[in-house]
C-alpha cells in the first residue's frame, strides 16, 4: 500500500512535468527575454507553498547570474514594496491566481513601473489577467489524494522556475568560473576557484635532476622531496621525463644495478603536464584519467621548463579529491 501510493505520487507529478514541457512556447521565450533586457532586478513573490518555491527560484537565479530576491507579499503590503524599483521584473506566483496577499500588491507593482510575469494555474484568474506575460503552471490533478495539499502544482512551479533560470544562464554565457564567484565556500567553491598554482610545490620543493645525474643522487632527490617522483631535465632545463618510486621498484625487481646508471636510463619520456593557471579540479581529472599521482606544472602550453609540481596528496589536503 505504502509503495503503491509512493509510486502513484511520482507518476502524477511526472505526468504534470511532461504536460508542462509540451506547453512551453514563445510566451516562455518572451518572459526570458524580458528578464534579459531589464535594467533592474528580478523580484519573486508568492504566499504559502508558492512562496517557498518562489524563494528557491529567486535563490537559483541569484546564484546563476541573474540578480534576484524574494519579496513576501504580506510584508510587501506593510512597507516592503519599497524594495521594488522601476525597471524591475516581478514574478508573482499563485496556483489559484487569487491569493489575496498577492492580488493586493498587483496595482502597486504596476504603479512602481515594474513589469509583471504572472505564474498561475488559472488563466482566467486576477493574477493571470494582470500579468504582462502569463506562464501557465496548471496541473490536471494534485498528487494529494484529497486534492488539497499542493504537490504536483508546486513541482511544476519549481520546474518552471528552474527552466527560466537555466535559460537565462545559457543566454548569458554563464560559466563555471562565474558560478564559483557566488559559491566561494565549501567543497564546491574549492573545486571551482582553487588553481594549480595555489597548491603546487615550487622552488626548493620541486624535485628535479638532469639527465646525466647518477641514480644514487636521483634517489636522494626522490626521497628528500617526499613526493615519490623526480623530473629529469636536459641541460637547458627542459623536462624530458620522470622517474617514480614505482619505476625504481620495478627496476630493482628486474635485478638491475641502478645506482650507477644515469637518470636518463630509467626515466619515462613524455610526462603529463598541466598549466599553472588551470583549476586544481582539472589536475585531479588528469590524474584519474592517466592513473598517476603527480603532474609537473608549466607557466603555459609552450613552456618546456616546469615551474612546479602538484601531487594527489595536495589535492586531498585542499579538499578537491
Amino acid at each position: 500500500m505504502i509503495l503503491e501510493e509512493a509510486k502513484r505520487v511520482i507518476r502524477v507529478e511526472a505526468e504534470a512535468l511532461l504536460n508542462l514541457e509540451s506547453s512551453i512556447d514563445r510566451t516562455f521565450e518572451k518572459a526570458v527575454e524580458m528578464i534579459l533586457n531589464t535594467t533592474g532586478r528580478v523580484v519573486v513573490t508568492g504566499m504559502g507553498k508558492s512562496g517557498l518555491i518562489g524563494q528557491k527560484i529567486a535563490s537559483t537565479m541569484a546564484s546563476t547570474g541573474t540578480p534576484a530576491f524574494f519579496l513576501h507579499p504580506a510584508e510587501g503590503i506593510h512597507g516592503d514594496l519599497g524594495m521594488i524599483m522601476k525597471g524591475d521584473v516581478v514574478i508573482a506566483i499563485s496556483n489559484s491566481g487569487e491569493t489575496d496577499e498577492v492580488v493586493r500588491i498587483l496595482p502597486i507593482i504596476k504603479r512602481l513601473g515594474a513589469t509583471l510575469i504572472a505564474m498561475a494555474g488559472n488563466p482566467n484568474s486576477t493574477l493571470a489577467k494582470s500579468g504582462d506575460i502569463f506562464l501557465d503552471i496548471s496541473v490536471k490533478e494534485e498528487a494529494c489524494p484529497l486534492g488539497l495539499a499542493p504537490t504536483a502544482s508546486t513541482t511544476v512551479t519549481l520546474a518552471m522556475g528552474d527552466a527560466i533560470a537555466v535559460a537565462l544562464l545559457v543566454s548569458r554565457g554563464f560559466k563555471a568560473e562565474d558560478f564559483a564567484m557566488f559559491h566561494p565556500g565549501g567543497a564546491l567553491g574549492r573545486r571551482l576557484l582553487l588553481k594549480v598554482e595555489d597548491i603546487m610545490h615550487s622552488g626548493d620543493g620541486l624535485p628535479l635532476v638532469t639527465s646525466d645525474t647518477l641514480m644514487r643522487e636521483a634517489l636522494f632527490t626522490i626521497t628528500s622531496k617526499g613526493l615519490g617522483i623526480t623530473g629529469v631535465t636536459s641541460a637547458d632545463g627542459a623536462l624530458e621525463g620522470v622517474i617514480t618510486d614505482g619505476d625504481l621498484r620495478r627496476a630493482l625487481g628486474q635485478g638491475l644495478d641502478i645506482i650507477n646508471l644515469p637518470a636518463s636510463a630509467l626515466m619515462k619520456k613524455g610526462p603529463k603536464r598541466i598549466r599553472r593557471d588551470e583549476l586544481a579540479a582539472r589536475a585531479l581529472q588528469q590524474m584519474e584519467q592517466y592513473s598517476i599521482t603527480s603532474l609537473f606544472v608549466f607557466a603555459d602550453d609552450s613552456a618546456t621548463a616546469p615551474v612546479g609540481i602538484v601531487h594527489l596528496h595536495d589535492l586531498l589536503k585542499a579538499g578537491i579529491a
Side-chain angles (χ1 to χ4, degrees):
M1 177 64 178
I2 293 176
L3 293 179
E4 289 177 1
E5 189 61 18
K7 291 179 180 179
R8 184 195 65 79
V9 169
I10 292 171
R11 281 196 305 272
V12 170
E13 299 205 5
E15 182 180 352
L17 289 173
L18 290 174
N19 290 335
L20 177 66
E21 180 189 13
S22 64
S23 72
I24 297 294
D25 55 17
R26 175 60 182 152
T27 302
F28 176 89
E29 196 171 19
K30 287 181 179 178
V32 172
E33 290 171 351
M34 178 184 289
I35 296 172
L36 285 171
N37 295 328
T38 186
T39 56
R41 300 84 39 88
V42 174
V43 183
V44 185
T45 189
M47 195 72 187
K49 304 298 186 297
S50 294
L52 295 173
I53 297 298
Q55 290 178 51
K56 194 275 181 186
I57 293 172
S59 179
T60 299
M61 287 185 179
S63 69
T64 53
T66 298
F69 64 91
F70 178 78
L71 171 65
H72 196 291
E75 298 294 339
I77 59 178
H78 290 283
D80 282 4
L81 282 173
M83 295 179 179
I84 300 176
M85 300 170 57
K86 183 177 181 180
D88 286 347
V89 175
V90 177
I91 299 177
I93 307 169
S94 169
N95 186 41
S96 68
E98 300 294 347
T99 303
D100 184 60
E101 292 86 351
V102 174
V103 169
R104 288 178 67 185
I105 66 174
L106 297 180
I108 310 301
I109 291 172
K110 293 288 188 178
R111 262 184 240 165
L112 290 171
T115 50
L116 177 64
I117 297 175
M119 290 175 58
N122 181 1
N124 296 312
S125 63
T126 302
L127 174 58
K129 291 179 178 179
S130 299
D132 296 290
I133 289 179
F134 166 61
L135 296 178
D136 191 350
I137 52 171
S138 61
V139 296
K140 292 181 179 178
E141 61 176 321
E142 295 285 8
C144 168
L146 301 176
L148 299 175
T151 44
S153 59
T154 48
T155 299
V156 163
T157 305
L158 179 60
M160 179 69 85
D162 284 343
I164 295 172
V166 173
L168 290 166
L169 177 156
V170 172
S171 298
R172 295 184 194 280
F174 199 73
K175 299 181 178 64
E177 292 82 357
D178 302 316
F179 191 77
M181 294 299 295
F182 303 122
H183 299 77
L188 180 61
R190 288 191 295 271
R191 288 184 65 86
L192 294 176
L193 286 175
L194 200 66
K195 294 187 176 181
V196 170
E197 62 188 356
D198 296 325
I199 58 173
M200 71 181 186
H201 302 266
S202 59
D204 291 339
L206 185 57
L208 292 174
V209 298
T210 57
S211 58
D212 58 355
T213 301
L214 294 181
M215 282 305 302
R216 64 165 65 96
E217 295 179 39
L219 277 168
F220 176 76
T221 299
I222 292 173
T223 55
S224 64
K225 302 299 183 182
L227 298 175
I229 190 174
T230 185
V232 181
T233 67
S234 61
D236 62 0
L239 187 68
E240 295 184 332
V242 296
I243 303 172
T244 67
D245 50 12
D247 296 326
L248 298 177
R249 287 192 296 272
R250 283 186 288 274
L252 290 171
Q254 294 170 7
L256 297 178
D257 180 13
I258 65 171
I259 297 300
N260 294 311
L261 290 176
S264 59
L266 264 69
M267 74 177 186
K268 287 182 179 176
K269 295 181 179 180
K272 304 301 178 186
R273 52 185 285 155
I274 193 167
R275 293 195 320 272
R276 67 184 302 158
D277 62 350
E278 290 202 58
L279 293 175
R282 174 59 182 153
L284 177 61
Q285 290 174 352
Q286 282 194 237
M287 290 180 191
E288 291 175 339
Q289 180 181 354
Y290 297 110
S291 298
I292 55 178
T293 58
S294 296
L295 283 170
F296 277 92
V297 183
F298 293 80
D300 53 54
D301 291 331
S302 62
T304 58
V307 296
I309 184 173
V310 61
H311 192 278
L312 179 60
H313 290 163
D314 303 318
L315 299 172
L316 288 168
K317 288 179 183 177
I320 301 297

